[in-house]
Amino acid sequence: MNAHDHDRMKQLLQQALPRIEGEAEPHRDLWPAVLRRLDAETVAVPWFDWAMLASLVGLAAFFPASIPVLLYYL
Amino acid sequence: MQNEPSSVLNEFRQGSVDAFETLFRLHQRAVYGWILRIVRNSAAAEDVTVEAFWRIHRAHARFDAKRGFEGWARSIATHAALDWLKTRREESELPSDFPSPATADPAITAEIRRKTALAFERLAPKLRIAAVLAVVEEQPHKEVAEALGISVAAVKLRVFRALRLLRKDLASQGITP
C-alpha cells in the first residue's frame, strides 16, 4: 500500500466513521452504578488460603485418623 | 481533565471512597468521552465507564501519584474499552450512535461508507482501537500510545495494518478506494 492509498483509506475511514466532536457527557449520573459495582465486588480469597484448605481436606481424606487431631487444634 | 489536589490522590491511594468519588466527579466526563470515541455507542460507553472506574478503584493501591491520575485513568479506560470490543465481536453488531456526516464527500456513496464501517468492525479490536483513535478521532500518536501502553512506532504500525486490511476487505467486495 503506497502513501496515496494510505491517505485515501484514511479519508474513507473518516467519512465512514465521523469524528465525535465536543465533550460528550453521559445521559445519567454513573456514580450510583459505580457504587453498586463496588458493593457487588466479591471478597478475593488469597491463593494461599485455598492451598491451605486443599491441604487440610487432602489430609483428612487420606488420613481420617488425623480429623480428631485437627479438630482438637481448631 | 482537571487537576486534583495531591491530598485527594493520596487519600484515594489509601482506599478512601470519598476521595474516589471526588476523582470520579472530576474525571467521569473525560473518561466517558474517551471511551465513547472507542466504542461509539452511548449506552455501551456508560457501561464501560462504570467498569473502568471499578477497575480504577480496584487498582488504587498501585496508583502512583507522580504519574498523575489523568493518564493512568485513561489507560485503564482504554483497556476496559478494548475488552468490551473483544466481547462484542462474538455478539451481534451494535449500531453506532453517530451516523455519517452531512458534509460527506459526494464521491463516496452511502453504500461505500456503510461497507467500510462494516469492514472496520471485522478488524481485530487492537487494530480498530488504534485506528479509531489515531485516524478517526485524530488523537496524537503519543497519547494513543500511552493509553494503550505501547510505543508510538507500534501505534503507527497498527494503524498501517488496520488500513491495509480494511483496503483488502473492501477490494474483496469490489470496492477500490
PDB file of all heavy atoms in Angstrom, chain A residues 5-6 9 11 14-15 17-20 22 25-29 31 37, chain B residues 25 32 37 40 46 51 99 104-105 113 120 135-138 167 177:
ATOM      1  N   ASP A   5      -2.556   5.480  -1.375  1.00  0.00           N
ATOM      2  CA  ASP A   5      -3.598   4.539  -0.917  1.00  0.00           C
ATOM      3  C   ASP A   5      -3.862   4.724   0.578  1.00  0.00           C
ATOM      4  O   ASP A   5      -5.009   4.666   1.038  1.00  0.00           O
ATOM      5  CB  ASP A   5      -3.159   3.096  -1.174  1.00  0.00           C
ATOM      6  CG  ASP A   5      -3.129   2.769  -2.664  1.00  0.00           C
ATOM      7  OD1 ASP A   5      -3.772   3.504  -3.433  1.00  0.00           O
ATOM      8  OD2 ASP A   5      -2.452   1.796  -3.054  1.00  0.00           O
ATOM      9  N   HIS A   6      -2.769   4.919   1.305  1.00  0.00           N
ATOM     10  CA  HIS A   6      -2.870   5.101   2.750  1.00  0.00           C
ATOM     11  C   HIS A   6      -3.733   6.325   3.078  1.00  0.00           C
ATOM     12  O   HIS A   6      -4.669   6.253   3.890  1.00  0.00           O
ATOM     13  CB  HIS A   6      -1.450   5.255   3.326  1.00  0.00           C
ATOM     14  CG  HIS A   6      -1.397   5.249   4.813  1.00  0.00           C
ATOM     15  ND1 HIS A   6      -1.424   6.399   5.566  1.00  0.00           N
ATOM     16  CD2 HIS A   6      -1.337   4.224   5.699  1.00  0.00           C
ATOM     17  CE1 HIS A   6      -1.377   6.087   6.850  1.00  0.00           C
ATOM     18  NE2 HIS A   6      -1.320   4.768   6.964  1.00  0.00           N
ATOM     19  N   MET A   9      -7.380   5.692   2.157  1.00  0.00           N
ATOM     20  CA  MET A   9      -8.067   4.844   3.135  1.00  0.00           C
ATOM     21  C   MET A   9      -8.401   5.635   4.400  1.00  0.00           C
ATOM     22  O   MET A   9      -9.460   5.451   5.000  1.00  0.00           O
ATOM     23  CB  MET A   9      -7.197   3.636   3.493  1.00  0.00           C
ATOM     24  CG  MET A   9      -7.169   2.534   2.455  1.00  0.00           C
ATOM     25  SD  MET A   9      -8.813   2.003   1.905  1.00  0.00           S
ATOM     26  CE  MET A   9      -9.555   1.507   3.432  1.00  0.00           C
ATOM     27  N   GLN A  11      -9.017   8.786   4.537  1.00  0.00           N
ATOM     28  CA  GLN A  11     -10.144   9.662   4.176  1.00  0.00           C
ATOM     29  C   GLN A  11     -11.457   8.872   4.161  1.00  0.00           C
ATOM     30  O   GLN A  11     -12.488   9.335   4.662  1.00  0.00           O
ATOM     31  CB  GLN A  11      -9.863  10.276   2.807  1.00  0.00           C
ATOM     32  CG  GLN A  11     -10.803  11.401   2.454  1.00  0.00           C
ATOM     33  CD  GLN A  11     -10.729  11.781   0.981  1.00  0.00           C
ATOM     34  OE1 GLN A  11      -9.853  11.319   0.249  1.00  0.00           O
ATOM     35  NE2 GLN A  11     -11.650  12.609   0.551  1.00  0.00           N
ATOM     36  N   GLN A  14     -12.528   8.102   7.683  1.00  0.00           N
ATOM     37  CA  GLN A  14     -13.068   9.306   8.337  1.00  0.00           C
ATOM     38  C   GLN A  14     -14.470   9.633   7.838  1.00  0.00           C
ATOM     39  O   GLN A  14     -15.282  10.185   8.568  1.00  0.00           O
ATOM     40  CB  GLN A  14     -12.122  10.489   8.104  1.00  0.00           C
ATOM     41  CG  GLN A  14     -10.876  10.409   8.969  1.00  0.00           C
ATOM     42  CD  GLN A  14      -9.784  11.354   8.528  1.00  0.00           C
ATOM     43  OE1 GLN A  14      -9.806  11.872   7.416  1.00  0.00           O
ATOM     44  NE2 GLN A  14      -8.805  11.578   9.393  1.00  0.00           N
ATOM     45  N   GLN A  15     -14.748   9.277   6.588  1.00  0.00           N
ATOM     46  CA  GLN A  15     -16.102   9.502   6.043  1.00  0.00           C
ATOM     47  C   GLN A  15     -17.081   8.464   6.597  1.00  0.00           C
ATOM     48  O   GLN A  15     -18.246   8.771   6.827  1.00  0.00           O
ATOM     49  CB  GLN A  15     -16.062   9.402   4.520  1.00  0.00           C
ATOM     50  CG  GLN A  15     -15.371  10.572   3.836  1.00  0.00           C
ATOM     51  CD  GLN A  15     -16.228  11.824   3.842  1.00  0.00           C
ATOM     52  OE1 GLN A  15     -17.427  11.751   3.630  1.00  0.00           O
ATOM     53  NE2 GLN A  15     -15.618  12.962   4.093  1.00  0.00           N
ATOM     54  N   LEU A  17     -16.753   6.722   9.489  1.00  0.00           N
ATOM     55  CA  LEU A  17     -16.926   6.871  10.933  1.00  0.00           C
ATOM     56  C   LEU A  17     -16.659   8.326  11.297  1.00  0.00           C
ATOM     57  O   LEU A  17     -15.520   8.747  11.397  1.00  0.00           O
ATOM     58  CB  LEU A  17     -15.956   5.968  11.700  1.00  0.00           C
ATOM     59  CG  LEU A  17     -16.043   4.468  11.470  1.00  0.00           C
ATOM     60  CD1 LEU A  17     -14.921   3.762  12.194  1.00  0.00           C
ATOM     61  CD2 LEU A  17     -17.367   3.914  11.935  1.00  0.00           C
ATOM     62  N   PRO A  18     -17.704   9.119  11.477  1.00  0.00           N
ATOM     63  CA  PRO A  18     -17.491  10.539  11.761  1.00  0.00           C
ATOM     64  C   PRO A  18     -16.830  10.758  13.115  1.00  0.00           C
ATOM     65  O   PRO A  18     -17.049  10.000  14.050  1.00  0.00           O
ATOM     66  CB  PRO A  18     -18.900  11.125  11.740  1.00  0.00           C
ATOM     67  CG  PRO A  18     -19.790   9.969  12.029  1.00  0.00           C
ATOM     68  CD  PRO A  18     -19.121   8.764  11.466  1.00  0.00           C
ATOM     69  N   ARG A  19     -16.052  11.803  13.185  1.00  0.00           N
ATOM     70  CA  ARG A  19     -15.388  12.167  14.429  1.00  0.00           C
ATOM     71  C   ARG A  19     -16.418  12.656  15.441  1.00  0.00           C
ATOM     72  O   ARG A  19     -17.373  13.350  15.072  1.00  0.00           O
ATOM     73  CB  ARG A  19     -14.377  13.278  14.115  1.00  0.00           C
ATOM     74  CG  ARG A  19     -13.519  13.640  15.267  1.00  0.00           C
ATOM     75  CD  ARG A  19     -12.535  14.707  14.892  1.00  0.00           C
ATOM     76  NE  ARG A  19     -11.720  15.002  16.053  1.00  0.00           N
ATOM     77  CZ  ARG A  19     -10.931  16.033  16.155  1.00  0.00           C
ATOM     78  NH1 ARG A  19     -10.824  16.874  15.161  1.00  0.00           N
ATOM     79  NH2 ARG A  19     -10.220  16.245  17.230  1.00  0.00           N
ATOM     80  N   ILE A  20     -16.230  12.288  16.696  1.00  0.00           N
ATOM     81  CA  ILE A  20     -17.147  12.747  17.743  1.00  0.00           C
ATOM     82  C   ILE A  20     -16.649  14.100  18.234  1.00  0.00           C
ATOM     83  O   ILE A  20     -15.601  14.202  18.853  1.00  0.00           O
ATOM     84  CB  ILE A  20     -17.249  11.714  18.886  1.00  0.00           C
ATOM     85  CG1 ILE A  20     -17.828  10.418  18.338  1.00  0.00           C
ATOM     86  CG2 ILE A  20     -18.094  12.256  20.031  1.00  0.00           C
ATOM     87  CD1 ILE A  20     -17.760   9.246  19.268  1.00  0.00           C
ATOM     88  N   GLY A  22     -16.653  17.781  20.264  1.00  0.00           N
ATOM     89  CA  GLY A  22     -17.020  18.332  21.567  1.00  0.00           C
ATOM     90  C   GLY A  22     -16.857  17.345  22.693  1.00  0.00           C
ATOM     91  O   GLY A  22     -16.456  16.200  22.491  1.00  0.00           O
ATOM     92  N   GLU A  25     -21.092  13.805  27.220  1.00  0.00           N
ATOM     93  CA  GLU A  25     -21.467  13.653  28.620  1.00  0.00           C
ATOM     94  C   GLU A  25     -22.426  12.479  28.761  1.00  0.00           C
ATOM     95  O   GLU A  25     -23.304  12.296  27.913  1.00  0.00           O
ATOM     96  CB  GLU A  25     -22.152  14.938  29.089  1.00  0.00           C
ATOM     97  CG  GLU A  25     -22.081  15.121  30.569  1.00  0.00           C
ATOM     98  CD  GLU A  25     -22.489  16.536  30.995  1.00  0.00           C
ATOM     99  OE1 GLU A  25     -22.507  17.450  30.169  1.00  0.00           O
ATOM    100  OE2 GLU A  25     -22.822  16.682  32.168  1.00  0.00           O
ATOM    101  N   PRO A  26     -22.276  11.670  29.807  1.00  0.00           N
ATOM    102  CA  PRO A  26     -23.227  10.557  29.971  1.00  0.00           C
ATOM    103  C   PRO A  26     -24.643  11.072  30.196  1.00  0.00           C
ATOM    104  O   PRO A  26     -24.843  12.178  30.712  1.00  0.00           O
ATOM    105  CB  PRO A  26     -22.697   9.799  31.193  1.00  0.00           C
ATOM    106  CG  PRO A  26     -21.684  10.651  31.824  1.00  0.00           C
ATOM    107  CD  PRO A  26     -21.256  11.686  30.847  1.00  0.00           C
ATOM    108  N   HIS A  27     -25.616  10.255  29.808  1.00  0.00           N
ATOM    109  CA  HIS A  27     -27.013  10.688  29.941  1.00  0.00           C
ATOM    110  C   HIS A  27     -27.517  10.608  31.376  1.00  0.00           C
ATOM    111  O   HIS A  27     -28.579  11.118  31.689  1.00  0.00           O
ATOM    112  CB  HIS A  27     -27.912   9.829  29.036  1.00  0.00           C
ATOM    113  CG  HIS A  27     -27.588   9.994  27.587  1.00  0.00           C
ATOM    114  ND1 HIS A  27     -27.319   8.932  26.759  1.00  0.00           N
ATOM    115  CD2 HIS A  27     -27.464  11.111  26.812  1.00  0.00           C
ATOM    116  CE1 HIS A  27     -27.056   9.381  25.542  1.00  0.00           C
ATOM    117  NE2 HIS A  27     -27.123  10.688  25.552  1.00  0.00           N
ATOM    118  N   ARG A  28     -26.777   9.909  32.232  1.00  0.00           N
ATOM    119  CA  ARG A  28     -27.224   9.753  33.627  1.00  0.00           C
ATOM    120  C   ARG A  28     -26.004   9.842  34.532  1.00  0.00           C
ATOM    121  O   ARG A  28     -24.870   9.729  34.065  1.00  0.00           O
ATOM    122  CB  ARG A  28     -27.928   8.401  33.806  1.00  0.00           C
ATOM    123  CG  ARG A  28     -27.025   7.218  33.477  1.00  0.00           C
ATOM    124  CD  ARG A  28     -27.773   5.894  33.411  1.00  0.00           C
ATOM    125  NE  ARG A  28     -26.954   4.872  32.778  1.00  0.00           N
ATOM    126  CZ  ARG A  28     -26.329   3.894  33.433  1.00  0.00           C
ATOM    127  NH1 ARG A  28     -26.449   3.801  34.745  1.00  0.00           N
ATOM    128  NH2 ARG A  28     -25.606   2.998  32.794  1.00  0.00           N
ATOM    129  N   ASP A  29     -26.289  10.035  35.823  1.00  0.00           N
ATOM    130  CA  ASP A  29     -25.205  10.047  36.798  1.00  0.00           C
ATOM    131  C   ASP A  29     -24.725   8.604  36.978  1.00  0.00           C
ATOM    132  O   ASP A  29     -25.505   7.723  37.351  1.00  0.00           O
ATOM    133  CB  ASP A  29     -25.718  10.625  38.124  1.00  0.00           C
ATOM    134  CG  ASP A  29     -24.628  10.664  39.184  1.00  0.00           C
ATOM    135  OD1 ASP A  29     -23.440  10.529  38.825  1.00  0.00           O
ATOM    136  OD2 ASP A  29     -24.971  10.833  40.370  1.00  0.00           O
ATOM    137  N   TRP A  31     -22.383   7.548  39.063  1.00  0.00           N
ATOM    138  CA  TRP A  31     -21.834   7.222  40.387  1.00  0.00           C
ATOM    139  C   TRP A  31     -22.632   6.117  41.102  1.00  0.00           C
ATOM    140  O   TRP A  31     -22.023   5.190  41.651  1.00  0.00           O
ATOM    141  CB  TRP A  31     -21.747   8.493  41.249  1.00  0.00           C
ATOM    142  CG  TRP A  31     -21.212   8.209  42.627  1.00  0.00           C
ATOM    143  CD1 TRP A  31     -21.864   8.342  43.809  1.00  0.00           C
ATOM    144  CD2 TRP A  31     -19.900   7.707  42.969  1.00  0.00           C
ATOM    145  NE1 TRP A  31     -21.062   7.976  44.857  1.00  0.00           N
ATOM    146  CE2 TRP A  31     -19.852   7.581  44.361  1.00  0.00           C
ATOM    147  CE3 TRP A  31     -18.780   7.349  42.218  1.00  0.00           C
ATOM    148  CZ2 TRP A  31     -18.729   7.112  45.044  1.00  0.00           C
ATOM    149  CZ3 TRP A  31     -17.654   6.875  42.891  1.00  0.00           C
ATOM    150  CH2 TRP A  31     -17.629   6.766  44.280  1.00  0.00           C
ATOM    151  N   ARG A  37     -21.462  -1.467  41.697  1.00  0.00           N
ATOM    152  CA  ARG A  37     -20.407  -2.371  41.201  1.00  0.00           C
ATOM    153  C   ARG A  37     -19.388  -2.663  42.303  1.00  0.00           C
ATOM    154  O   ARG A  37     -18.921  -3.788  42.448  1.00  0.00           O
ATOM    155  CB  ARG A  37     -19.718  -1.703  39.997  1.00  0.00           C
ATOM    156  CG  ARG A  37     -18.726  -2.545  39.270  1.00  0.00           C
ATOM    157  CD  ARG A  37     -19.420  -3.444  38.269  1.00  0.00           C
ATOM    158  NE  ARG A  37     -18.467  -4.016  37.333  1.00  0.00           N
ATOM    159  CZ  ARG A  37     -17.724  -5.094  37.571  1.00  0.00           C
ATOM    160  NH1 ARG A  37     -17.821  -5.722  38.718  1.00  0.00           N
ATOM    161  NH2 ARG A  37     -16.882  -5.558  36.678  1.00  0.00           N
TER     162      ARG A  37
ATOM    163  N   ARG B  25     -16.014  12.400  40.094  1.00  0.00           N
ATOM    164  CA  ARG B  25     -16.750  13.605  39.657  1.00  0.00           C
ATOM    165  C   ARG B  25     -15.886  14.488  38.753  1.00  0.00           C
ATOM    166  O   ARG B  25     -16.381  15.097  37.812  1.00  0.00           O
ATOM    167  CB  ARG B  25     -17.229  14.414  40.864  1.00  0.00           C
ATOM    168  CG  ARG B  25     -18.144  13.653  41.805  1.00  0.00           C
ATOM    169  CD  ARG B  25     -19.562  13.637  41.328  1.00  0.00           C
ATOM    170  NE  ARG B  25     -20.420  12.834  42.202  1.00  0.00           N
ATOM    171  CZ  ARG B  25     -21.497  12.186  41.790  1.00  0.00           C
ATOM    172  NH1 ARG B  25     -21.863  12.247  40.522  1.00  0.00           N
ATOM    173  NH2 ARG B  25     -22.233  11.487  42.620  1.00  0.00           N
ATOM    174  N   TYR B  32     -15.534   9.127  30.129  1.00  0.00           N
ATOM    175  CA  TYR B  32     -16.677   8.707  29.304  1.00  0.00           C
ATOM    176  C   TYR B  32     -16.461   9.119  27.838  1.00  0.00           C
ATOM    177  O   TYR B  32     -16.694   8.334  26.912  1.00  0.00           O
ATOM    178  CB  TYR B  32     -17.962   9.333  29.851  1.00  0.00           C
ATOM    179  CG  TYR B  32     -19.155   9.181  28.939  1.00  0.00           C
ATOM    180  CD1 TYR B  32     -19.885   7.989  28.918  1.00  0.00           C
ATOM    181  CD2 TYR B  32     -19.554  10.220  28.096  1.00  0.00           C
ATOM    182  CE1 TYR B  32     -20.970   7.846  28.073  1.00  0.00           C
ATOM    183  CE2 TYR B  32     -20.644  10.083  27.249  1.00  0.00           C
ATOM    184  CZ  TYR B  32     -21.343   8.899  27.248  1.00  0.00           C
ATOM    185  OH  TYR B  32     -22.421   8.752  26.405  1.00  0.00           O
ATOM    186  N   ARG B  37     -15.465   7.535  22.241  1.00  0.00           N
ATOM    187  CA  ARG B  37     -14.739   7.631  20.971  1.00  0.00           C
ATOM    188  C   ARG B  37     -14.279   6.246  20.496  1.00  0.00           C
ATOM    189  O   ARG B  37     -14.087   6.037  19.306  1.00  0.00           O
ATOM    190  CB  ARG B  37     -13.546   8.582  21.116  1.00  0.00           C
ATOM    191  CG  ARG B  37     -13.970  10.028  21.067  1.00  0.00           C
ATOM    192  CD  ARG B  37     -12.914  10.985  21.543  1.00  0.00           C
ATOM    193  NE  ARG B  37     -13.324  12.355  21.270  1.00  0.00           N
ATOM    194  CZ  ARG B  37     -14.205  13.051  21.974  1.00  0.00           C
ATOM    195  NH1 ARG B  37     -14.773  12.496  23.031  1.00  0.00           N
ATOM    196  NH2 ARG B  37     -14.550  14.285  21.640  1.00  0.00           N
ATOM    197  N   ARG B  40     -18.185   4.006  20.464  1.00  0.00           N
ATOM    198  CA  ARG B  40     -19.082   4.682  19.533  1.00  0.00           C
ATOM    199  C   ARG B  40     -20.560   4.350  19.728  1.00  0.00           C
ATOM    200  O   ARG B  40     -21.332   4.292  18.780  1.00  0.00           O
ATOM    201  CB  ARG B  40     -18.654   4.429  18.076  1.00  0.00           C
ATOM    202  CG  ARG B  40     -17.172   4.657  17.845  1.00  0.00           C
ATOM    203  CD  ARG B  40     -16.784   4.637  16.410  1.00  0.00           C
ATOM    204  NE  ARG B  40     -17.243   5.819  15.707  1.00  0.00           N
ATOM    205  CZ  ARG B  40     -16.658   7.024  15.791  1.00  0.00           C
ATOM    206  NH1 ARG B  40     -15.622   7.207  16.567  1.00  0.00           N
ATOM    207  NH2 ARG B  40     -17.127   8.041  15.119  1.00  0.00           N
ATOM    208  N   GLU B  46     -21.440   4.176  28.619  1.00  0.00           N
ATOM    209  CA  GLU B  46     -21.781   4.338  30.040  1.00  0.00           C
ATOM    210  C   GLU B  46     -21.408   3.082  30.826  1.00  0.00           C
ATOM    211  O   GLU B  46     -20.824   3.166  31.903  1.00  0.00           O
ATOM    212  CB  GLU B  46     -23.276   4.647  30.184  1.00  0.00           C
ATOM    213  CG  GLU B  46     -23.616   6.051  29.708  1.00  0.00           C
ATOM    214  CD  GLU B  46     -25.090   6.413  29.841  1.00  0.00           C
ATOM    215  OE1 GLU B  46     -25.893   5.558  30.276  1.00  0.00           O
ATOM    216  OE2 GLU B  46     -25.436   7.556  29.504  1.00  0.00           O
ATOM    217  N   GLU B  51     -17.411   0.205  34.419  1.00  0.00           N
ATOM    218  CA  GLU B  51     -16.407  -0.863  34.531  1.00  0.00           C
ATOM    219  C   GLU B  51     -15.007  -0.266  34.727  1.00  0.00           C
ATOM    220  O   GLU B  51     -14.224  -0.740  35.563  1.00  0.00           O
ATOM    221  CB  GLU B  51     -16.457  -1.726  33.256  1.00  0.00           C
ATOM    222  CG  GLU B  51     -15.325  -2.710  33.080  1.00  0.00           C
ATOM    223  CD  GLU B  51     -15.361  -3.877  34.062  1.00  0.00           C
ATOM    224  OE1 GLU B  51     -16.433  -4.108  34.646  1.00  0.00           O
ATOM    225  OE2 GLU B  51     -14.307  -4.522  34.247  1.00  0.00           O
ATOM    226  N   PRO B  99     -24.220   8.692  12.959  1.00  0.00           N
ATOM    227  CA  PRO B  99     -24.316   8.461  11.525  1.00  0.00           C
ATOM    228  C   PRO B  99     -23.297   9.293  10.752  1.00  0.00           C
ATOM    229  O   PRO B  99     -22.696  10.210  11.298  1.00  0.00           O
ATOM    230  CB  PRO B  99     -25.746   8.890  11.182  1.00  0.00           C
ATOM    231  CG  PRO B  99     -26.116   9.845  12.253  1.00  0.00           C
ATOM    232  CD  PRO B  99     -25.358   9.451  13.482  1.00  0.00           C
ATOM    233  N   ALA B 104     -20.465  14.856   3.906  1.00  0.00           N
ATOM    234  CA  ALA B 104     -19.707  13.738   3.358  1.00  0.00           C
ATOM    235  C   ALA B 104     -19.258  14.021   1.926  1.00  0.00           C
ATOM    236  O   ALA B 104     -19.907  14.750   1.191  1.00  0.00           O
ATOM    237  CB  ALA B 104     -20.577  12.489   3.382  1.00  0.00           C
ATOM    238  N   ASP B 105     -18.121  13.409   1.581  1.00  0.00           N
ATOM    239  CA  ASP B 105     -17.579  13.545   0.223  1.00  0.00           C
ATOM    240  C   ASP B 105     -18.571  12.901  -0.748  1.00  0.00           C
ATOM    241  O   ASP B 105     -18.884  11.714  -0.626  1.00  0.00           O
ATOM    242  CB  ASP B 105     -16.221  12.819   0.193  1.00  0.00           C
ATOM    243  CG  ASP B 105     -15.547  12.938  -1.163  1.00  0.00           C
ATOM    244  OD1 ASP B 105     -16.211  13.358  -2.118  1.00  0.00           O
ATOM    245  OD2 ASP B 105     -14.359  12.598  -1.251  1.00  0.00           O
ATOM    246  N   ARG B 113     -19.661   3.913   2.347  1.00  0.00           N
ATOM    247  CA  ARG B 113     -19.410   4.266   3.752  1.00  0.00           C
ATOM    248  C   ARG B 113     -19.920   3.155   4.682  1.00  0.00           C
ATOM    249  O   ARG B 113     -19.254   2.788   5.647  1.00  0.00           O
ATOM    250  CB  ARG B 113     -20.082   5.599   4.093  1.00  0.00           C
ATOM    251  CG  ARG B 113     -19.336   6.802   3.562  1.00  0.00           C
ATOM    252  CD  ARG B 113     -19.786   8.081   4.276  1.00  0.00           C
ATOM    253  NE  ARG B 113     -21.171   8.406   3.956  1.00  0.00           N
ATOM    254  CZ  ARG B 113     -21.536   9.139   2.897  1.00  0.00           C
ATOM    255  NH1 ARG B 113     -20.618   9.610   2.083  1.00  0.00           N
ATOM    256  NH2 ARG B 113     -22.789   9.381   2.664  1.00  0.00           N
ATOM    257  N   PHE B 120     -14.645  -2.341   8.880  1.00  0.00           N
ATOM    258  CA  PHE B 120     -13.852  -1.886  10.030  1.00  0.00           C
ATOM    259  C   PHE B 120     -14.209  -2.693  11.280  1.00  0.00           C
ATOM    260  O   PHE B 120     -13.345  -3.045  12.076  1.00  0.00           O
ATOM    261  CB  PHE B 120     -14.087  -0.392  10.245  1.00  0.00           C
ATOM    262  CG  PHE B 120     -13.181   0.227  11.268  1.00  0.00           C
ATOM    263  CD1 PHE B 120     -11.824   0.374  11.007  1.00  0.00           C
ATOM    264  CD2 PHE B 120     -13.669   0.639  12.490  1.00  0.00           C
ATOM    265  CE1 PHE B 120     -10.976   0.932  11.954  1.00  0.00           C
ATOM    266  CE2 PHE B 120     -12.827   1.190  13.439  1.00  0.00           C
ATOM    267  CZ  PHE B 120     -11.488   1.343  13.175  1.00  0.00           C
ATOM    268  N   VAL B 135      -6.789   7.828  13.627  1.00  0.00           N
ATOM    269  CA  VAL B 135      -7.257   8.302  12.310  1.00  0.00           C
ATOM    270  C   VAL B 135      -8.591   9.038  12.425  1.00  0.00           C
ATOM    271  O   VAL B 135      -8.727  10.167  11.966  1.00  0.00           O
ATOM    272  CB  VAL B 135      -7.380   7.120  11.314  1.00  0.00           C
ATOM    273  CG1 VAL B 135      -7.930   7.598   9.975  1.00  0.00           C
ATOM    274  CG2 VAL B 135      -6.023   6.454  11.117  1.00  0.00           C
ATOM    275  N   VAL B 136      -9.569   8.372  13.034  1.00  0.00           N
ATOM    276  CA  VAL B 136     -10.917   8.972  13.079  1.00  0.00           C
ATOM    277  C   VAL B 136     -10.954  10.148  14.055  1.00  0.00           C
ATOM    278  O   VAL B 136     -11.401  11.241  13.710  1.00  0.00           O
ATOM    279  CB  VAL B 136     -11.969   7.900  13.467  1.00  0.00           C
ATOM    280  CG1 VAL B 136     -13.346   8.530  13.582  1.00  0.00           C
ATOM    281  CG2 VAL B 136     -11.976   6.772  12.444  1.00  0.00           C
ATOM    282  N   GLU B 137     -10.474   9.911  15.272  1.00  0.00           N
ATOM    283  CA  GLU B 137     -10.537  10.967  16.289  1.00  0.00           C
ATOM    284  C   GLU B 137      -9.320  11.896  16.254  1.00  0.00           C
ATOM    285  O   GLU B 137      -9.283  12.876  17.005  1.00  0.00           O
ATOM    286  CB  GLU B 137     -10.682  10.337  17.676  1.00  0.00           C
ATOM    287  CG  GLU B 137     -11.980   9.531  17.851  1.00  0.00           C
ATOM    288  CD  GLU B 137     -13.232  10.374  17.682  1.00  0.00           C
ATOM    289  OE1 GLU B 137     -13.170  11.597  17.921  1.00  0.00           O
ATOM    290  OE2 GLU B 137     -14.277   9.809  17.295  1.00  0.00           O
ATOM    291  N   GLU B 138      -8.348  11.552  15.443  1.00  0.00           N
ATOM    292  CA  GLU B 138      -7.142  12.372  15.242  1.00  0.00           C
ATOM    293  C   GLU B 138      -6.448  12.736  16.557  1.00  0.00           C
ATOM    294  O   GLU B 138      -6.042  13.885  16.771  1.00  0.00           O
ATOM    295  CB  GLU B 138      -7.494  13.626  14.434  1.00  0.00           C
ATOM    296  CG  GLU B 138      -7.995  13.272  13.036  1.00  0.00           C
ATOM    297  CD  GLU B 138      -8.429  14.486  12.228  1.00  0.00           C
ATOM    298  OE1 GLU B 138      -9.081  15.377  12.789  1.00  0.00           O
ATOM    299  OE2 GLU B 138      -8.138  14.521  11.036  1.00  0.00           O
ATOM    300  N   ARG B 167      -8.507  -2.064   3.391  1.00  0.00           N
ATOM    301  CA  ARG B 167      -8.449  -1.925   1.934  1.00  0.00           C
ATOM    302  C   ARG B 167      -8.620  -3.284   1.256  1.00  0.00           C
ATOM    303  O   ARG B 167      -9.341  -3.410   0.265  1.00  0.00           O
ATOM    304  CB  ARG B 167      -7.109  -1.300   1.539  1.00  0.00           C
ATOM    305  CG  ARG B 167      -6.974  -0.963   0.083  1.00  0.00           C
ATOM    306  CD  ARG B 167      -5.695  -0.172  -0.142  1.00  0.00           C
ATOM    307  NE  ARG B 167      -5.585   0.248  -1.527  1.00  0.00           N
ATOM    308  CZ  ARG B 167      -5.010  -0.486  -2.467  1.00  0.00           C
ATOM    309  NH1 ARG B 167      -4.484  -1.646  -2.161  1.00  0.00           N
ATOM    310  NH2 ARG B 167      -4.966  -0.046  -3.712  1.00  0.00           N
ATOM    311  N   PRO B 177     -10.947   1.825  -3.273  1.00  0.00           N
ATOM    312  CA  PRO B 177     -10.923   3.227  -2.860  1.00  0.00           C
ATOM    313  C   PRO B 177      -9.910   4.064  -3.657  1.00  0.00           C
ATOM    314  O   PRO B 177      -8.923   3.554  -4.105  1.00  0.00           O
ATOM    315  CB  PRO B 177     -10.495   3.182  -1.399  1.00  0.00           C
ATOM    316  CG  PRO B 177     -10.426   1.757  -1.026  1.00  0.00           C
ATOM    317  CD  PRO B 177     -10.450   0.929  -2.250  1.00  0.00           C
TER     318      PRO B 177
END
